[in-house]
Amino acid sequence: MSKSILVIFFIYIYFIVGLVYGQDDHERKTYIVYLGELPEAGTSVVDSHHKLLLAAIGDEKIARESKIHSYGKSFNGFAARLLPHEAKKLLDEKSVISVFPNQRRNLHTTRSWDYLGLPLKLGMNSLVESNLIVGVLDTGIWMDCPSFNDKGFGPPPAKWKGKCVKAANFSGCNNKVVGAKYFRLDSHNDGDEALTPADEDGHGSHTSSTAAGVAVKGASLYGVGEGTARGGAALSRIAMYKVCWLNGCFDVDILAAFDEAIADGVDLISVSLGGPTNEYFADPIAIGSFHALKKGILTSCSAGNDGPYTSSVSNVAPWILTVGANSIDRQFTTMVKLGNGQTFYGKSINTFSPKKAMYPLTDGTHAASANGSIYGNASNCDDGTLAKNKVKGRIVYCEGSYDQESTIEELEGLGTIMTYEGEMDFSYLTLVPATYVAQKDGDKVDRYINSTKDAQGVIYRTTRVKAPAPFLASFSSRGPQTIDTNILKPDITAPGIDILAAYSQIPSVSGDSADKRHAVFNIMSGTSMACPHAAAAAAYVKSFHTDWSPAAIKSALMTTATPLIVKGREADLLGAGAGQINPVKAVHPGLIYDLSTNSYISFLCKEGYNSSDLSLLIGGKKKYKCSDFKPAQGTDGLNYPTMHIQLNNPQSRISGVFYRTVTNVGYGKTVYKVKINSPKGLSVKVSPDTLAFTKLHQQLSFKVEVKGGAMQNDTQILSALLEWSDSKHSVKSHILIYRPLI
Ligand SMILES: *[C@@H]1O[C@H](CO)[C@@H](O)[C@H](O)[C@H]1NC(C)=O
Ligand SMILES: *[C@@H]1O[C@H](CO)[C@@H](O)[C@H](O)[C@H]1NC(C)=O
Ligand SMILES: *[C@@H]1O[C@H](CO)[C@@H](O)[C@H](O)[C@H]1NC(C)=O
Ligand SMILES: *[C@@H]1O[C@H](CO)[C@@H](O)[C@H](O)[C@H]1NC(C)=O
Ligand SMILES: *[C@@H]1O[C@H](CO)[C@@H](O)[C@H](O)[C@H]1NC(C)=O
Ligand SMILES: *[C@@H]1O[C@H](CO)[C@@H](O)[C@H](O)[C@H]1NC(C)=O
C-alpha cells in the first residue's frame, strides 16, 4: 500500500470509529451515580464503579470510556456518560442511592462587619480562629487583591491536607489562601477559559474575602464606598474550590469539590450558588453538605435571588444553613441636578466624577431617529431607536427602562438617567455616568427637558447615606419551600446589598467588555454576598466553641438573630427566617437546639427514605433499619430552632406539635421561663413552661402545641415568637404558619 492510500485508509477508519462512538456519545448524557458513604478501607471504589458501569453498559471499552470521575475521598459515587436505559439499570442496583443528570447551577449574584457589631480588634479566640479554614466553592480567587495578603500568618494548621494548583494567571497560594483547586470534569461543557483557580469573574474573590479576607484600610471602588474592607473571620484561612465557569456551575464539579474539601480538612464550607431544587440525594449541594455534616463541617448556602416571588428558595436541606440577604445601614445614592436647580437622588453605583458643572440634556423622544420606531420605543431609548448625532455629547433621559447604558455608550452619549417603578433597594454598577430615579422624579426631569430648548443636567459620583436597617432584600428568595414543607427556609439573613469586597482584575468592574475599569475591590449585591457573611459568623462562633456540632452553631446563630423590619409586606416573613445574624451574641446563646447525625437519619426515615438507602448513607457493614433509630416525632421530626407549618389547603385548621430538646451552654445552674408572643387566631402552648437546669450541658425537653382555626380572608401568614429567657439570655424561636390561597 502506498503511503497516501494508508493515510486515506486511516482517515477512513478514524471516521467510522468516530461516527460510531461519536454518535453514541452524542446520545449519552452525563449522570451522577450516588452511592452514599465510603466503603470499608481496603475496597477500591474505582474498581467497584467500573463493575457497576460494566454491568449496566455491557461493553468493557465503552464502560471505561464513559466514566468521567470517581468520587471516593469523602463519599462514594461516580459521574459517567450514560444512555437513559443504562441510568435506569444503575438506579435499580442495590448499592445505588440515586442517579441524576448533571445539571447547571448559577451564582447567586464594607462596612457590613462594623454594622453587625463584630469587633475589628482581635479577640481572645485569635489562635483558634487562625486555625480554621473556610472552604469556598465559587469562581476562583484573584491573589493580587490585598484582602488575601498573608503578612503575619504562620503556616497552615498541621491538619490541612489540601493543595494549591499552579496554572494560568495563578502563581500559587500563601499562608492566607492555603488551598486552590479547580474542577472541570465534564469536557462536554467546556468553554474557552483557561483551566486555572484564578478568578476570571470576580464573584469568588468577593465571597471569599467577605468570609475571611484580611482588613484593608481605604478600600473603595474608585472612591465609592471607601472604608475598611474585611472578612468576618479575618484571621481564618481560605481554601478555594473553583466550580463555576463562564457558562455556569455543574453538578459533577460541585460534588467533586465537596469530596475534596471535606477530605482536605476545611472547617466550614460556603456555597454562593444554586439551581433547580431536587430531592436531597439528587442534589450535589445537599449530598456534599450531608457528608460535610457527618465530619462536623457546617455548610452555608445562599437562598437564591428569585424574590420577591414566593416558593423561590433553594438549598433547603435541613443540615444546610440557608441564608437570605438583608440591607445594611448605609445605602448608595447618586445625585442628579438639572439646569433649573432641581435635584433628585437616584440608585446606582456611578464611579465617574463630572468634570464640568453642567452638560446638555435630552430625552429618548427628542433623540429618536426618523425611522427608529421600528426597532422599539424611543422614549425607553431601546437599541436602534436613537440617532447618534442627537445623543453624542449629551446626557439622555430614558423612561422606564433598565440597562440602556450600553446603547448610550455606543452612541457616544455622556450618561443616562433611567427610571424605576416600585422599589429598588440595591444599586447597579453603571458603564457610563448613570442612575435610576423613581418614576415620579423622572416625570419632573422630562417636564424640564420639554420646557426648554437648552436643557442641562449633571450626574454626580455616587455617595453614601445612612438608612434604616435591616430589611429583607427585594431579590432575596422566599419560602415556602417545597421539599420539607414543615421546615422553615431560609434559616437566617445576612448583609447582601451593595457589599464592597475583593474582586478580580481580569473582568471589568461592570463585567461589560466595553468597560475599561479594572479594580481589586467591587460592590456587589445578592444572597451570594450574604452566604459568606453567615459562614464567617459560624467560623467566629466555632472559634469560641470548637466542640460544637454544625447544628449547635447554626442554632446559636438562629436563636440570637435580630428580627428584620417588616414594612407592610408581610410576605417578607417568608424570606427572613430567624432574622439577621448577630455573631457577637451567637457566641453566648444560653441554650442550643442540637442535632446529631442520627437525628437526621430518623428524620430521613420519617421522610420515607428506606432501610437500604439509610445503610448506604451511614456506611459500614451493618445493615440498618429505621426501627434501629429513635423515631422522629411531631410535625417536623427535627430538633430545629424554628417551627413551621404549611397548611394543606386554604380551609385547613392549624394544628401542629413540636418536640424540642435544649442543651444548657450558658450558666451551670439557671432557670429559663418561656414567653410567647402570638397573634390573634393562633394559640401556642408550651409545656413545661419553665426549664430549671442544674448543670452545664444538661438537656431538657419541652413540647409546643400550635393550634388555630382556619385562617380567614386573605391572611396567608401567621407568625409567633417563642422565647426562653433566664436573667441573661434570650433564646428565640420563630413560629410561622403558611396558608396557600388556592
Ligand atoms: C491572564 O489574564 C489576562 C487578563 O488579565 C488574560 O488576557 C490572559 O489571557 C490570561 N492568561 C492566561 C494564560 O490565561
Ligand atoms: C433608517 O434611516 C437611516 C438614515 O436616517 C438609514 O441609514 C437606514 O437605512 C434606515 N433604516 C431602515 C431600516 O429603513
Ligand atoms: C413607550 O414607553 C413609554 C414609557 O415607558 C410608554 O408610556 C409608552 O406607552 C411606550 N410606547 C409604546 C408605543 O409602547
Ligand atoms: C415630553 O414630551 C414628549 C414628546 O412630546 C412627550 O411624549 C412626553 O410625554 C413629555 N413628557 C412630559 C413629562 O410631559
Ligand atoms: C428503597 O427505595 C428505593 C427507591 O427509592 C427502591 O428502589 C428500593 O427497592 C427500596 N428498598 C427497599 C429495601 O425497600
Ligand atoms: C373577613 O372579611 C369580612 C368581610 O370583609 C369581615 O367582616 C371579617 O371581619 C374578616 N375576618 C377577619 C378575621 O378578618
Side-chain angles (χ1 to χ4, degrees):
M1 254 190 278
S2 81
K3 244 185 186 170
S4 60
I5 290 176
L6 243 181
V7 168
I8 288 166
F9 178 72
F10 276 121
I11 288 176
Y12 178 74
I13 292 288
Y14 182 82
F15 184 71
I16 294 291
V17 169
L19 205 67
V20 170
Y21 283 98
Q23 207 160 39
D24 188 40
D25 192 60
H26 186 68
E27 280 162 26
R28 291 179 177 275
K29 285 207 171 66
T30 303
Y31 286 86
I32 290 159
V33 181
Y34 172 55
L35 306 168
E37 188 49 87
L38 289 176
E40 307 277 87
T43 327
S44 159
V45 294
V46 177
D47 287 348
S48 69
H49 297 166
H50 179 67
K51 279 199 192 107
L52 278 168
L53 267 172
L54 185 56
I57 294 176
D59 180 290
E60 172 79 31
K61 185 160 180 286
I62 301 178
R64 242 171 239 300
E65 285 173 355
S66 71
K67 197 182 82 182
I68 289 175
H69 185 71
S70 276
Y71 307 101
K73 292 189 166 145
S74 305
F75 48 83
N76 194 2
F78 59 91
R81 303 279 296 167
L82 302 172
L83 296 169
H85 75 272
E86 295 163 355
K88 170 92 187 30
K89 247 189 195 163
L90 280 162
L91 183 60
D92 292 340
E93 289 283 343
K94 263 221 301 279
S95 61
V96 173
I97 295 185
S98 61
V99 179
F100 56 97
N102 179 32
Q103 285 182 293
R104 180 208 309 268
R105 285 162 210 280
N106 295 305
L107 297 166
H108 284 153
T109 337
T110 324
R111 265 197 42 77
S112 50
W113 290 111
D114 294 322
Y115 158 71
L116 287 171
L118 191 65
L120 179 56
K121 260 181 67 186
L122 310 183
M124 57 182 246
N125 61 326
S126 55
L127 236 169
V128 183
E129 190 179 323
S130 73
N131 278 331
L132 293 178
I133 300 161
V134 183
V136 182
L137 274 56
D138 214 298
T139 62
I141 193 162
W142 186 250
M143 292 296 289
D144 288 343
C145 180
S147 299
F148 307 124
N149 190 319
D150 70 346
K151 194 161 167 259
F153 280 82
K159 61 162 186 181
W160 178 241
K161 295 198 275 293
K163 287 209 170 59
C164 189
V165 175
K166 289 185 191 162
N169 280 329
F170 199 84
S171 58
C173 296
N174 60 20
N175 286 330
K176 178 72 190 173
V177 180
V178 296
K181 297 176 177 175
Y182 64 83
F183 301 88
R184 189 63 152 159
L185 296 173
D186 187 358
S187 58
H188 294 83
N189 357 298
D190 261 357
D192 53 4
E193 297 145 87
L195 293 177
T196 169
D199 185 2
E200 299 202 11
D201 180 279
H203 188 276
S205 303
H206 204 278
T207 56
S208 28
S209 69
T210 299
V214 299
V216 181
K217 282 198 192 126
S220 76
L221 173 63
Y222 291 92
V224 177
E226 186 169 356
T228 299
R230 63 185 167 110
L235 296 176
S236 296
R237 323 292 180 118
I238 295 165
M240 170 54 64
Y241 297 86
K242 178 169 175 173
V243 296
C244 293
W245 305 84
L246 296 180
N247 63 351
C249 328
F250 286 88
D251 287 359
V252 285
D253 300 322
I254 296 168
L255 210 46
F258 270 107
D259 192 27
E260 300 212 5
I262 297 165
D264 287 347
V266 302
D267 296 283
L268 292 137
I269 297 177
S270 184
V271 186
S272 288
L273 62 99
T277 297
N278 301 333
E279 58 134 329
Y280 300 140
F281 298 110
D283 175 335
I285 298 177
I287 293 171
S289 57
F290 180 78
H291 289 278
L293 164 95
K294 289 178 81 182
K295 292 275 156 51
I297 304 162
L298 178 63
T299 303
S300 173
C301 292
S302 47
N305 296 342
D306 297 316
Y309 303 105
T310 54
S311 301
S312 53
V313 60
S314 62
N315 297 324
V316 298
W319 45 84
I320 289 174
L321 179 64
T322 311
V323 190
N326 64 255
S327 66
I328 63 173
D329 65 347
R330 71 109 169 80
Q331 280 181 1
F332 290 114
T333 188
T334 304
M335 191 168 95
V336 170
K337 191 171 172 186
L338 305 182
N340 65 4
Q342 276 185 302
T343 56
F344 303 100
Y345 291 90
K347 303 285 298 179
S348 63
I349 308 288
N350 172 35
T351 68
F352 305 100
S353 297
K355 295 198 174 58
K356 292 199 273 180
M358 283 286 157
Y359 297 88
L361 176 66
T362 184
D363 64 15
T365 322
H366 288 91
S369 63
N371 54 11
S373 62
I374 58 170
Y375 297 105
N377 188 332
S379 75
N380 294 166
C381 305
D382 286 348
D383 194 15
T385 60
L386 304 185
K388 184 167 179 177
N389 64 334
K390 296 179 186 167
V391 170
K392 190 173 174 180
R394 293 185 173 85
I395 293 172
V396 186
Y397 169 73
C398 301
E399 184 179 339
S401 55
Y402 284 92
D403 212 18
Q404 300 294 16
E405 306 150 44
S406 34
T407 307
I408 301 301
E409 193 262 350
E410 268 168 37
L411 299 175
E412 295 175 35
L414 293 182
T416 169
I417 302 165
M418 298 164 282
T419 64
Y420 64 88
E421 297 269 12
E423 180 184 28
M424 188 156 168
D425 56 4
F426 68 106
S427 298
Y428 290 101
L429 176 66
T430 62
L431 177 60
V432 291
T435 195
Y436 293 86
V437 298
Q439 186 56 54
K440 65 173 173 42
D441 291 339
D443 289 341
K444 291 179 195 156
V445 173
D446 207 26
R447 229 170 283 144
Y448 161 71
I449 294 169
N450 284 355
S451 72
T452 168
K453 279 213 161 57
D454 181 31
Q456 303 269 311
V458 62
I459 302 169
Y460 294 101
R461 189 167 72 177
T462 298
T463 57
R464 60 173 155 222
V465 287
K466 282 214 144 290
F471 288 109
L472 186 68
S474 54
F475 56 74
S476 192
S477 285
R478 272 88 164 148
Q481 66 139 313
T482 49
I483 298 205
D484 278 317
T485 53
N486 294 320
I487 303 282
L488 184 67
K489 290 280 175 174
D491 291 305
I492 206 159
T493 68
I497 293 185
D498 300 339
I499 304 297
L500 177 78
Y503 196 65
S504 166
Q505 280 176 299
I506 296 185
S508 71
V509 293
S510 62
D512 192 310
S513 57
D515 194 344
K516 295 288 167 275
R517 293 168 297 171
H518 294 264
V520 289
F521 289 98
N522 203 349
I523 296 165
M524 298 172 90
S525 297
T527 54
S528 276
M529 283 65 239
C531 167
H533 274 96
Y540 185 73
V541 173
K542 192 176 169 98
S543 73
F544 287 91
H545 304 287
T546 47
D547 57 333
W548 281 10
S549 71
I553 294 171
K554 183 170 152 179
S555 169
L557 289 169
M558 288 171 68
T559 60
T560 58
T562 311
L564 300 190
I565 305 170
V566 176
K567 42 175 178 187
R569 195 167 54 190
E570 230 193 351
D572 280 4
L573 290 169
L574 289 169
Q580 176 185 262
I581 51 164
N582 184 337
V584 173
K585 263 194 170 170
V587 172
H588 306 287
L591 303 175
I592 50 178
Y593 293 82
D594 208 354
L595 285 164
S596 64
T597 304
N598 281 357
S599 323
Y600 289 109
I601 296 289
S602 302
F603 168 78
L604 291 172
C605 282
K606 185 179 151 87
E607 293 297 303
Y609 288 87
N610 64 26
S611 50
S612 52
D613 296 330
L614 289 190
S615 302
L616 293 170
L617 287 172
I618 298 167
K621 284 213 168 59
K622 187 168 156 21
K623 291 286 163 255
Y624 293 91
K625 293 192 296 291
C626 281
S627 53
D628 296 336
F629 299 88
K630 205 174 148 226
Q633 284 185 297
T635 298
D636 55 2
L638 264 187
N639 192 35
Y640 217 73
T642 51
M643 294 161 212
H644 186 38
I645 301 173
Q646 284 187 40
L647 300 179
N648 292 327
N649 62 62
Q651 291 79 35
S652 301
R653 295 178 63 81
I654 301 164
S655 170
V657 185
F658 300 89
Y659 294 91
R660 294 293 187 265
T661 298
V662 283
T663 309
N664 179 18
V665 296
Y667 305 124
K669 191 166 178 321
T670 184
V671 177
Y672 281 84
K673 285 198 165 15
V674 80
K675 206 168 77 194
I676 306 288
N677 192 338
S678 73
K680 217 177 120 224
L682 190 66
S683 135
V684 178
K685 223 174 80 198
V686 179
S687 55
D689 62 1
T690 302
L691 299 174
F693 291 93
T694 55
K695 56 181 197 290
L696 212 55
H697 304 306
Q698 186 183 358
Q699 297 195 325
L700 291 176
S701 297
F702 61 95
K703 177 177 160 188
V704 182
E705 282 175 279
V706 180
K707 278 197 167 12
M711 284 156 72
Q712 297 296 307
N713 298 347
D714 290 342
T715 310
Q716 265 200 289
I717 291 162
L718 288 176
S719 101
L721 189 66
L722 182 164
E723 203 171 349
W724 288 105
S725 320
D726 66 356
S727 56
K728 173 103 185 284
H729 307 97
S730 150
V731 188
K732 296 189 289 278
S733 276
H734 289 257
I735 302 173
L736 194 117
I737 319 296
Y738 174 78
R739 171 206 189 203
L741 284 185
I742 42 165

